[in-house]
């Protein structure tokens, strides 16, 4: 049966915080520093409403943590604090202030960055991005969707960042999995839905009501400038989306081509090129087909960037994902002239850094090329990696010199 949820964390649940009892395996997980407890590790959560703030206790009733509870997700418990929480709203406001202060320390050369990265900012289930004067957010859990919590984080973000507008981005699949009422993307404050932002001196368009994910791929910001350092000659940006890599490479190269299968993405990429007065050739194509055709023509590029979508969305897809990465990297290597640069990325959490390196090593062996690793990189620092929560580290970006 489908339920529509309007309650979640309410004032009354704050007064008498209910307790979720968990089995030893879940308790050990929390003690190991992780912040999730799976439903199969829950011993008793009878009568606890969706999205409630709960105390988490072991089988004997010993307090372990304060957490948000979901009645629907396989991740039943997401730890909020290792201490009892008496005033949730004050805690949320403090976490937002801390997240913003962290960005002030680690983010530079941009007015677009991730302001809140869910578990890694101790705000499980909330993603907030800033694009110049616009904020975009996504809620991933029952608790973050409850009225009290939404009102609290929206008010705090507004006070601290004074955006012209705030847009909510809805992923219908996530709302369905969390048994949340189906919502739609749109502005929740202000009137403005598009803007331009700047990163590393490159200007880019942002439309809060279009695009994939929460807009641009902000996690690649530091990798764009790293790749640009080595760029020269003729460059190919495969899976270019709005042209993030291509536009960073353009000032250093004689020619740049961006490839993507999405026409709307390429239209924005073309507008971005115009905004920066750059000439980039955009090709709408399936990257696998295009690379196969180009590889048959032999080495012709000095830089190839590969930044495909996540091939492994679950562990089950790992083998086929690795085959996909192998094929792409193999073909990219065939395209590169001696002395060329390969920038190869994977945003699949399930593909470990070691497995990804191994795929590239395998590809290099097959095509008899020597690769020297110039940089072994990950996501930009506004997407913090929380140690003991491996799921917060997902992006891999390797830069090789190919001979
Ligand atoms: N490099 C980009 C982000 C890439 S996201 C940046 O820095 O902003 C992955 C992109 O791959 C998306 O734009 C998607 O449209 C594109 N894509 C997915 N499958 C594809 C395929 N088979 N061939 C070409 N592009 C594809």
């Amino acid at each position: 049966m489908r339920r529509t949820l309007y309650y979640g964390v309410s004032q009354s649940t704050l007064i008498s915080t209910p307790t979720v009892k968990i089995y030893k395996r879940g308790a050990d997980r929390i003690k190991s520093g992780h912040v999730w407890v799976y439903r199969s590790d829950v011993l008793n959560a009878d009568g606890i409403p969706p999205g409630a703030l709960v105390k988490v206790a072991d089988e004997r009733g010993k307090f372990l943590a304060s957490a948000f509870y979901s009645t629907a997700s396989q991740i039943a418990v997401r730890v909020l604090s290792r201490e009892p929480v008496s005033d949730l709203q004050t805690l949320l406001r403090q976490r937002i202030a801390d997240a913003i202060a962290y960005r002030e320390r680690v983010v530079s050369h941009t007015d677009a960055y991730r302001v809140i990265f869910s578990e890694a900012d101790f705000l499980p289930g909330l993603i907030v991005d800033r694009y110049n004067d616009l904020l975009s957010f996504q809620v991933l859990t029952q608790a973050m969707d409850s009225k009290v919590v939404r009102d609290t984080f929206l008010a705090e973000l507004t006070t601290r960042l004074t955006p012209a507008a705030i847009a909510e981005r809805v992923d219908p699949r996530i709302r369905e999995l969390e048994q949340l009422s189906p919502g739609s993307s749109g502005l929740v404050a202000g009137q403005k839905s598009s803007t331009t932002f700047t990163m590393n001196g490159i200007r880019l368009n942002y439309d809060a009501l279009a695009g994939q994910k929460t807009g641009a791929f902000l996690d690649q910001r530091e990798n764009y400038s790293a790749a640009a350092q080595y760029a020269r000659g003729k460059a190919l940006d495969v899976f270019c989306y709005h042209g993030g890599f291509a536009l960073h490479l353009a000032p250093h190269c004689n020619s740049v081509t961006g490839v993507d299968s999405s026409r709307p993405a390429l239209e924005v990429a073309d507008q971005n090129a115009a905004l920066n007065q750059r000439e980039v050739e955009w090709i709408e194509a399936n990257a696998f087909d295009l690379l196969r055709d180009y590889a048959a023509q032999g080495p012709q590029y000095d830089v190839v960037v590969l930044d495909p979508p996540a091939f492994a969305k679950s562990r089950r897809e790992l083998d086929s994902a690795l085959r996909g990465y192998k094929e792409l990297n193999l073909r990219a290597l065939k395209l590169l002239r001696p002395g060329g640069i390969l920038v190869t990325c994977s945003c699949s959490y399930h593909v470990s850094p070691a497995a990804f390196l191994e795929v590239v090593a395998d590809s290099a062996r097959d095509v008899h090329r020597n690769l020297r690793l110039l940089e072994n990189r990950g996501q930009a620092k506004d997407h913090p990696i929380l140690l003991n929560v491996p799921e917060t580290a997902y992006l891999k970006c390797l830069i090789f010199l190919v001979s």
Side-chain angles (χ1 to χ4, degrees), residues 329-331 333-334 362-369 371:
N329 283 281
L330 203 87
R331 289 182 179 161
L333 288 173
K334 287 187 180 169
D362 235 15
S363 313
R365 275 194 294 272
D366 283 11
V367 293
H368 310 293
R369 304 294 294 264
L371 269 60

Side-chain angles (χ1 to χ4, degrees), residues 212 217 220 224 237 239-245 259-262 265 285-288 307-309:
Q212 306 170 6
F217 291 86
Q220 291 283 24
Y224 293 149
D237 175 6
F239 305 97
C240 66
Y241 187 56
H242 292 172
F245 277 103
V259 179
D260 204 284
S261 57
S262 159
N286 180 320
F288 287 88
D307 185 18

Side-chain angles (χ1 to χ4, degrees), residues 107-113 130-134 196-199:
V107 175
S108 54
H109 306 115
T110 185
D111 56 12
Y113 51 90
R130 176 183 190 166
Y131 295 91
N132 187 6
D133 53 350
L134 299 187
T196 59
F197 62 96
T198 309
M199 56 164 70

Side-chain angles (χ1 to χ4, degrees), residues 162-232:
T162 58
I166 305 180
E168 175 167 16
R169 296 195 55 88
V170 166
D171 180 338
R173 205 182 59 90
I174 287 175
R175 290 193 71 88
E176 202 178 319
L177 287 175
E178 281 284 284
Q179 292 175 3
L180 292 166
S181 59
S184 53
S185 297
L187 293 178
V188 300
Q191 305 288 325
K192 191 176 173 183
S193 66
S194 63
T195 194
T196 59
F197 62 96
T198 309
M199 56 164 70
N200 312 311
I202 308 279
R203 292 182 65 205
L204 298 151
N205 289 291
Y206 173 65
D207 182 344
L209 306 179
Q212 306 170 6
K213 258 186 36 165
T214 49
F217 291 86
L218 300 172
D219 48 4
Q220 291 283 24
R221 176 174 42 86
E222 296 169 3
N223 298 330
Y224 293 149
S225 8
Q229 280 186 73
Y230 307 102
R232 58 172 196 187

Side-chain angles (χ1 to χ4, degrees), residues 304-383:
V304 176
V305 177
L306 298 175
D307 185 18
F311 288 155
K313 295 224 163 69
S314 70
R315 197 169 295 278
R316 265 181 294 125
E317 295 167 344
L318 183 60
D319 284 346
S320 73
L322 292 175
R323 280 196 298 277
Y325 288 118
K326 170 92 186 272
E327 188 173 329
L328 287 175
N329 283 281
L330 203 87
R331 289 182 179 161
L333 288 173
K334 287 187 180 169
L335 281 183
L336 279 165
R337 292 184 179 126
I341 296 290
L342 174 68
V343 181
T344 181
C345 309
S346 162
C347 57
S348 303
Y349 158 70
H350 295 286
V351 175
S352 70
F356 189 52
L357 260 173
E358 185 52 37
V359 164
V360 185
D362 235 15
S363 313
R365 275 194 294 272
D366 283 11
V367 293
H368 310 293
R369 304 294 294 264
N370 290 310
L371 269 60
R372 276 175 279 180
L373 181 59
L374 297 174
E375 300 205 21
N376 187 345
R377 308 181 57 89
Q379 62 225 42
K381 289 186 277 294
D382 48 333
H383 295 62

